[in-house]
Structure formats: C-alpha cells, structure tokens
Amino acid sequence: MQYRAAVAMKPGAPEVFEIQKRDAPVPRDGWVTVRVKAFGLNRSEMFTRQGHSPSVQFPRVLGIECVGEVLDAPQTRQKTGQQVIALMGGMGREFDGGYAEIAQLPERCVFPVETSLDWTTLGALPEMFQTAWGILSRGLALSEGDQLLIRGGTSSVGLMALRLAKIAGATVTSTTRSDDKKPKLKAAGADEVIIDNGRLGTGEFDKVLDLVGTTSLQDSMNACRAGGITCMAGILGNAWTLENFLPMEHIPHCVRLTVYSGGPGDLDLGALQQFIKKIESGETSVDIDKVFALEEIAEAHARMENNQAQGKLVVDLT
C-alpha cells in the first residue's frame, strides 16, 4: 500500500514542498501507525521549513500534530480503528510528522479520543488546545474574575485562549493590529478589543498572554499590575531574542514573568474531551480560517507566512 506525503525537500520558501508517494511503513513495536484524516498548521513548522531548526534534517515530512485512526500499534495501549489525536514529541523534527496520509509515531505522541466531530474540526484542536490550555492553567494560573489581556488575539492560539478564558469566567481584552479583525474577536467572545499600537502598558491587567513575543514583551509586562503574571508563549513578531535585557530594570515591581512551550506530556486529555463535548453541543466552537487539500500545502504555508489567517489553518485529507 502506498500513501501520499508532503515532503519539505530543503529549507526555503513554501515551494520547497513536494507531494510524494511512499510505501506504507512496517509495523514497529511501541509505535502507532495512524491513517491521518486531517492536520493543523503551526508557525513552528514554518520556522522549521525556513531553516531555523538546525537539528532538523531534510528532506522531512513536517507536522507537529494530526488526527486520524489507528492502523496498527504493536506493543502499545492503542487499538486498531481507534480515533486518535497526535502532537509534538519530535513529530516533524526528529522523525516524519503529520503532513501525510499515514504517519508512524511513538506512542508518547498519540492519545485516544471519542467524538462525533468532523475531521476538519478535530484536526484544528490538538496543538491549539494543548497550548492555550497550558498557557492559561499553568503559565498564567487563570482564575474566575481575572482581567486578562491577550496580545496576538486573532492567531489560532489567541482565539482558543479567548474561548477557554471566557469559559473559565475571566474578563478578556484581545488585541489586533487591524480594524478589520475586530468583529472576529468580538464574535469569539472578547469583552473588549483594542488596536495594538505597541504601547498598552497601563498596569491594569491581572494576567497578560503575549503571543507576539520579544518585540512586545516589555510593554506587556508594563500592562500587568503588581502581583500579576505575564506569560510569553509565541513569537508572532518573528524576533527570537530580547536585546540588552536587564531584569531588575525591565521587569516591573512584583510582576511575574513566565513562558509556556508544553509538549505531549502537558496535554490534559480530560479537559480536551470536555471541550470537544462543548463543541458537539454547540456551547462553543473552533475558529478555523481556511481548509486546504494536501496538494495545497505550499499555499497554506504562504497564507500563514503572510499573516493572513484569522484562526486555524487545516489540511483535510478526507
């Protein structure tokens, strides 16, 4: 049996992807072979494609997440035919990831789920939920009644964090750089939407989620009240370092600074299953920007790279 995979042949622009036919992998003890039904796109995959992950060897099937059904899983707890999600743990970096019709993954990356959701909706969830849930619960210790600022609000993680924060009872202010994107944030439940001009540091928020990164981190800390928490969990600003950082000077008095970059072991599967049920019941929804076919992977990456997405980009293989 053969399957198709989108292979990044070398570091570079979105056009480095090539659709190849490959032979199905031989079953391997401790590994789960998944028939992939859908997968979401992530900016970390864009950075890897661009060549910013020096440990990654090319050609490589990228993809730090996917959803689908188990084909075989010798010497694991997974069962043939089970619906599963998979994320991180080396996917698309140490070994081939989710950008394919079949993925063979170590058991640590694979989790069973029960759902009636369509594959596109489920495919948007794994990494987006894991990251947003981890940020709010571990990076920010979000509590009911907190005043939360989400910087980078129209990103997929920003929108997921908004929905989860509202479910948790927080009051949420989300930012965008474009007036055109305000309605998206309002529709997702933001109590207030403000245009990010780079200067939001008023010290009025209990918690601040910064998805933009080092280009806005100083101002985000200034937006946090004494005793509050600022969590950096993204680099939408495409800057990797904070130059001339002086902690005693740049971190405001009694503001705590955290980061979140969780892996598969940080996934709260029970919380994810509860969130899936809320989607199924219509209590909440998932913010999907656009759905692509596997052959359109270069177009999908270009949309991500050009910051055109308002929500999750998903490739559906069904």
Side-chain angles (χ1 to χ4, degrees):
M1 180 176 66
Q2 289 192 319
Y3 69 97
R4 297 176 304 149
V7 185
M9 302 304 295
K10 60 183 180 180
E15 291 72 28
V16 299
F17 286 108
E18 179 180 300
I19 305 299
Q20 296 182 352
K21 285 189 176 181
R22 295 184 164 189
D23 293 328
V26 176
R28 181 178 176 184
D29 285 353
W31 289 61
V32 182
T33 304
V34 178
R35 182 178 295 282
V36 179
K37 299 293 187 176
F39 60 84
L41 270 65
N42 299 276
R43 290 185 73 85
S44 66
E45 297 153 0
M46 180 188 78
F47 294 134
T48 297
R49 190 212 76 222
Q50 291 172 336
H52 298 301
S53 303
S55 64
V56 175
Q57 296 182 347
F58 293 85
R60 175 63 75 206
V61 177
L62 304 184
I64 64 171
E65 64 175 323
C66 65
V67 300
E69 297 173 341
V70 175
L71 288 175
D72 60 64
Q75 301 301 311
T76 76
R77 292 164 294 177
Q78 307 299 333
K79 305 298 182 183
T80 300
Q82 171 69 50
Q83 290 177 305
V84 291
I85 67 167
L87 72 161
M88 301 189 68
M91 286 179 63
R93 298 171 61 87
E94 299 171 23
F95 48 86
D96 285 342
Y99 286 19
E101 292 175 325
I102 292 178
Q104 191 173 64
L105 310 169
E107 186 180 16
R108 67 176 180 271
C109 300
V110 183
F111 301 87
V113 293
E114 300 292 339
T115 180
S116 61
L117 295 178
D118 61 83
W119 289 113
T120 293
T121 303
L122 187 64
L125 287 177
E127 178 60 13
M128 185 169 66
F129 179 88
Q130 184 275 135
T131 302
W133 179 267
I135 291 167
L136 297 180
S137 62
R138 300 183 181 186
L140 288 173
L142 190 75
S143 299
E144 184 177 0
D146 276 347
Q147 297 282 336
L148 172 67
L149 172 67
I150 300 178
R151 202 160 197 170
T154 56
S155 66
S156 60
V157 173
L159 286 163
M160 175 61 74
L162 166 57
R163 292 189 181 277
L164 292 175
K166 291 302 298 179
I167 290 172
T171 299
V172 183
T173 299
S174 289
T175 76
T176 176
R177 293 181 297 173
S178 170
D179 280 316
D180 294 341
K181 295 181 179 180
K182 279 187 172 182
K184 180 76 172 181
L185 290 167
K186 277 295 193 180
D191 296 285
E192 184 178 1
V193 179
I194 55 180
I195 298 297
D196 194 339
N197 62 5
R199 297 181 301 278
L200 307 180
T202 59
E204 63 182 282
F205 295 99
D206 302 303
K207 311 288 170 65
V208 179
L209 165 54
D210 192 326
L211 295 166
V212 178
T214 57
T215 58
S216 61
L217 184 58
Q218 178 66 71
D219 188 63
S220 291
M221 289 188 289
N222 292 340
C224 201
R225 65 167 178 79
I229 304 173
T230 297
C231 181
M232 176 179 157
I235 46 174
L236 293 172
N238 293 341
W240 300 79
T241 59
L242 190 59
E243 300 295 335
N244 301 315
F245 179 56
L246 306 174
M248 289 293 290
E249 179 180 338
H250 293 152
I251 299 177
H253 176 66
C254 290
V255 168
R256 286 169 283 174
L257 173 61
T258 66
V259 296
Y260 182 81
S261 57
D266 296 296
L267 175 67
D268 187 327
L269 189 57
L272 172 60
Q273 193 68 64
Q274 290 179 358
F275 188 71
I276 287 173
K277 290 181 179 179
K278 290 182 183 295
I279 301 171
E280 291 172 336
S281 68
E283 185 176 339
T284 190
S285 60
V286 181
D287 297 282
I288 295 175
D289 176 78
K290 192 172 181 179
V291 181
F292 296 86
L294 187 64
E295 293 81 3
E296 299 171 314
I297 190 67
E299 179 185 343
H301 261 248
R303 186 171 179 83
M304 177 167 55
E305 190 164 338
N306 293 328
N307 296 317
Q308 295 173 306
Q310 297 183 49
K312 190 74 169 179
L313 300 170
V314 179
V315 172
D316 191 316
L317 300 176
T318 62

